[in-house]
Amino acid sequence: MLHFSFAYAMFFSLPTELVQHALCFCTPQTVAAFSQTCRLAFALVYDTQDQHLWREVFLSVPFDDLKDSPDYDPGAPIDWRTEVQHRIRASSVVAFTPEDLPLSPEKKEQVFDAFESLVKVAHSAIPPFRTDPDSPPVPSHNMRWLTDALARCVLFYDPGHSTAFGYHSDHLERLLAYWGTPLRGIPTGNLHTESRCFVYDLRHYTLESNWGVYREVGTEQISETRAQYIYEADWEHVRHCVNAVLFGIRYDGTGAFAHPPNPARLLCPPMGFNSIRAYSAPGSFDREPDDWAGVEGVWVRYVCFMDYSDLAGKPTYSSLSHVRAKCAYPRC
């Protein structure tokens, strides 16, 4: 006991800055465990207005620096401690298997809150290029961490469980739409059928959905006699649209994706979380800064009344490109 008391006294006799610097090399879980050892440790970790420790812990996970995020506001302070706590807690909450189902009501609410935190992780990812689009792309720690976290969540890699247990979360649907790639754990043919049925069901296109992939969330008074509807994206609908397009391009008609890839697969857009990073679209640096997604400009609509597989089943890639070049494209 004497030896412990001596070591305890020696440790806390060190300058606070030195102890905090040592904690910067620890994981968030280790820092939290250290804070529970005594009152002095708790005060050292939590009772401080200085955010240096928590910023270093946040970056050591690692996560992308929030100051490099596209939506960073220099005038708004960043609560680094809250940010890292929410993310680490979210990764722990969503890590469960089919054996853990059904979830208790309390666990269900925690999981839905965790998905909201994970969506924020995706939104705060740094752009793939700093300033020069010809430079090597910068990897995103956020996207790598997010992929690893969701790989342990059965509701993400097997959304069939969401339907079976009624676990519908708009944030989960949003993450699935962002991911875009075929998911392991379920027959891809069933997913294709489910998405096609949803997309082509005209009952999903009403005034309440603005005749598209939207959801009415309220109204806004624009004058004494006029009001307009406020809409937000219906991410379940968006996810099914993404699935329908991707399966239409890559589906081989047997319940799985084509292996080896057919020529049309070479025309697929990039998929996965890295493909949704700001300024990752081709030509981003040639547009206005606010138009990083490439929304402005002339849109071209390609119309084809053939099944995708009819185009991609037998032709070579060169002949497919020839067919594509001759398709009519009315401007809209």
Side-chain angles (χ1 to χ4, degrees):
M1 179 63 70
L2 180 62
H3 175 73
F4 173 79
S5 299
F6 177 75
Y8 177 87
M10 287 294 295
F11 181 81
F12 283 102
S13 67
L14 296 173
T16 301
E17 294 80 4
L18 184 59
V19 177
Q20 288 189 337
H21 180 71
L23 291 174
C24 290
F25 296 93
C26 300
T27 64
Q29 295 88 340
T30 302
V31 174
F34 168 78
S35 71
Q36 300 300 313
T37 57
C38 64
R39 292 182 179 179
L40 285 177
F42 186 89
L44 185 68
V45 172
Y46 293 110
D47 294 345
T48 175
Q49 299 300 319
D50 185 8
Q51 289 279 327
H52 172 73
L53 169 63
W54 286 105
R55 181 177 187 274
E56 293 301 315
V57 171
F58 179 92
L59 297 177
S60 68
V61 172
F63 289 118
D64 296 339
D65 193 336
L66 291 174
K67 293 184 178 180
D68 294 330
S69 173
D71 55 358
Y72 168 63
D73 181 4
I78 299 176
D79 189 343
W80 296 97
R81 189 184 89 184
T82 300
E83 290 289 342
V84 71
Q85 286 178 332
H86 283 180
R87 296 184 182 197
I88 298 302
R89 185 182 300 114
S91 66
S92 175
V93 167
V94 300
F96 56 89
T97 64
E99 289 70 26
D100 299 319
L101 299 174
L103 303 176
S104 66
E106 296 78 13
K107 177 68 172 180
K108 179 180 175 182
E109 290 301 319
Q110 292 175 4
V111 170
F112 287 179
D113 290 340
F115 285 138
E116 182 178 4
S117 296
L118 296 181
V119 167
K120 294 179 180 178
V121 174
H123 289 181
S124 61
I126 61 174
F129 305 105
R130 299 294 189 187
T131 55
D132 183 7
D134 296 326
S135 62
V138 179
S140 169
H141 298 304
N142 278 20
M143 296 314 193
R144 185 182 299 114
W145 180 89
L146 184 60
T147 302
D148 293 340
L150 288 171
R152 301 188 297 271
C153 179
V154 64
L155 297 184
F156 183 79
Y157 67 74
D158 189 349
H161 286 89
S162 302
T163 303
F165 290 95
Y167 298 153
H168 293 290
S169 164
D170 203 50
H171 297 295
L172 172 59
E173 297 290 349
R174 191 169 192 162
L175 290 168
L176 289 169
Y178 286 172
W179 182 244
T181 55
L183 306 170
R184 63 184 175 91
I186 64 173
T188 53
N190 293 347
L191 182 59
H192 185 203
T193 302
E194 176 188 356
S195 293
R196 284 174 59 88
C197 290
F198 190 101
V199 170
Y200 295 113
D201 188 345
L202 296 182
R203 291 174 296 181
H204 293 134
Y205 303 92
T206 63
L207 179 62
E208 287 72 20
S209 67
N210 200 25
W211 313 103
V213 292
Y214 304 100
R215 179 189 298 120
E216 180 187 335
V217 294
T219 58
E220 180 183 18
Q221 200 72 27
I222 58 177
S223 69
E224 294 183 358
T225 58
R226 292 184 59 193
Q228 66 180 8
Y229 292 109
I230 301 175
Y231 298 95
E232 65 179 20
D234 183 343
W235 288 103
E236 180 183 13
H237 199 152
V238 173
R239 174 175 70 88
H240 285 300
C241 288
V242 171
N243 288 339
V245 171
L246 292 180
F247 275 92
I249 295 175
R250 300 175 61 183
Y251 191 60
D252 68 357
T254 64
F257 283 94
H259 296 288
N262 58 42
R265 187 172 182 179
L266 302 176
L267 306 178
C268 283
M271 294 178 289
F273 289 131
N274 273 305
S275 65
I276 66 166
R277 294 165 65 185
Y279 299 100
S280 61
S284 296
F285 285 87
D286 298 330
R287 296 188 288 267
E288 294 296 325
D290 293 337
D291 187 28
W292 57 265
V295 175
E296 296 182 356
V298 177
W299 284 65
V300 178
R301 179 187 180 198
Y302 291 86
V303 179
C304 178
F305 298 98
M306 299 173 63
D307 190 275
Y308 290 108
S309 59
D310 293 333
L311 289 177
K314 295 181 180 179
T316 62
Y317 178 70
S318 59
S319 63
L320 180 61
S321 301
H322 179 69
V323 171
R324 184 183 60 171
K326 287 192 173 183
C327 287
Y329 49 96
R331 296 182 181 270
C332 58

